[in-house]
Amino acid sequence: MGISEDVKLDVQKIKDATMSVRNGQVVPSTDSIALHNGAVELEVAYLYADLASSSKMARSFDRRITAKILKSFLATSARIIRHKGGTVMSFDGDRVMAAFVGNAKCTNATKAAFAIAWSVSEVIRPEFENKYASVRDADFQIAHAAGIDVGTAYIVRAGARGTNDLVSIGRAPNLAAKFSDIRSDGNTTFASGSAYSKMNADCKKYLERDNNPWTKATWEFLGESVTYYRTSYWRKPNL
């Protein structure tokens, strides 16, 4: 059988399969979902963290410097996500997607976003600016954005046998990814109204005072006016 027939057979099998969906309480592993027709449905808070200006970095900096910045961002983000109880779902170039479950999922996702903002502004950026003149003198800064949304998602296992991964389907992962693409007035964390309403109170104030660091905004997404909140606030991961 040639490759063209294999492709047709793949589509036929997937199209005609009866999906076996189960409710979940934890983020599934690849091995826990059947590749052929398995799916897990659960309530998840998604966090997308996206390194900004990676194309400019590749053009402006030595490739080894750009690689070190990218690796630093992904390594610290993954470490923070795990520290806050999240699961790293995937890396996609210069961004990382994470899932949080449980009663404090929105709070934990938000605290992870605050900590990632701290790592970029207080660790990665100054470290690289101090070491490399090309980074220090560039007409842009090392920056990022993180998006958060919460909702019911389908998690399926997709790909071919031996080369497959988990894929999240639903508004929450899509909207979190879209939020991470917003760049506005130095804000670094963007959360949907749904996620904001489920955060604990300590995510809605500065540690030093009771002022709320978030501002409210609206955005058009697939014909819907979506309320979201944005902030430039950062917080160390142990706080």
Side-chain angles (χ1 to χ4, degrees):
M1 184 181 295
I3 182 64
S4 58
E5 293 304 315
D6 289 337
V7 169
K8 292 178 182 178
L9 186 59
D10 284 341
V11 174
Q12 188 76 28
K13 286 181 177 179
I14 294 169
K15 176 177 66 71
D16 293 339
T18 300
M19 294 296 290
S20 176
V21 182
R22 59 181 172 85
N23 292 325
Q25 300 298 322
V26 299
V27 178
S29 64
T30 304
D31 293 341
S32 69
I33 301 180
L35 177 59
H36 175 59
N37 65 343
V40 173
E41 182 181 47
L42 72 167
E43 186 80 4
V44 190
Y46 283 93
L47 167 67
Y48 262 85
D50 182 14
L51 184 66
S53 303
S54 57
S55 296
K56 282 187 177 181
M57 291 182 196
R59 183 186 63 198
S60 304
F61 304 153
D62 183 285
R63 287 176 292 180
R64 291 165 292 186
I65 297 174
T66 300
K68 289 180 179 181
I69 294 170
L70 177 60
K71 283 166 62 69
S72 295
F73 175 72
L74 296 178
T76 54
S77 296
R79 183 178 294 276
I80 287 167
I81 287 163
R82 291 195 299 265
H83 176 70
K84 294 299 181 182
T87 299
V88 174
M89 299 292 288
S90 65
F91 296 101
D92 181 13
D94 57 2
R95 63 171 50 185
V96 58
M97 180 179 79
F100 295 78
V101 296
N103 293 333
K105 53 184 170 288
C106 293
T107 296
N108 291 335
T110 302
K111 289 183 176 180
F114 287 167
I116 291 170
W118 165 82
S119 73
V120 172
S121 65
E122 302 301 304
V123 183
I124 297 173
R125 184 189 301 148
E127 288 286 343
F128 279 89
E129 287 182 350
N130 288 338
K131 184 172 178 63
Y132 298 107
S134 60
V135 178
R136 183 172 60 251
D137 298 336
D139 61 358
F140 62 94
Q141 287 187 317
I142 298 172
H144 84 295
I148 303 167
D149 192 21
V150 63
T152 301
Y154 261 27
I155 300 178
V156 300
R157 186 177 168 194
R161 190 167 301 280
T163 309
N164 57 81
D165 206 349
L166 298 180
V167 177
S168 296
I169 301 166
R171 190 193 92 149
N174 290 335
L175 192 54
K178 295 296 184 183
F179 282 149
S180 74
D181 288 332
I182 298 176
R183 303 282 185 262
S184 66
D185 302 324
N187 291 298
T188 52
T189 303
F190 301 80
S192 69
S194 300
Y196 181 84
S197 68
K198 295 178 181 179
M199 296 174 195
N200 288 354
D202 67 345
C203 288
K204 300 176 182 178
K205 65 179 182 179
Y206 294 94
L207 289 180
E208 305 81 8
R209 56 191 188 276
D210 288 335
N211 302 57
N212 192 328
W214 299 85
T215 57
K216 186 178 180 181
T218 57
W219 184 59
E220 293 298 317
F221 177 68
L222 297 179
E224 175 188 0
S225 183
V226 175
T227 297
Y228 71 95
Y229 294 79
R230 58 196 179 189
T231 182
S232 60
Y233 183 54
W234 58 258
R235 190 182 291 178
K236 286 185 177 182
N238 56 323
L239 298 176

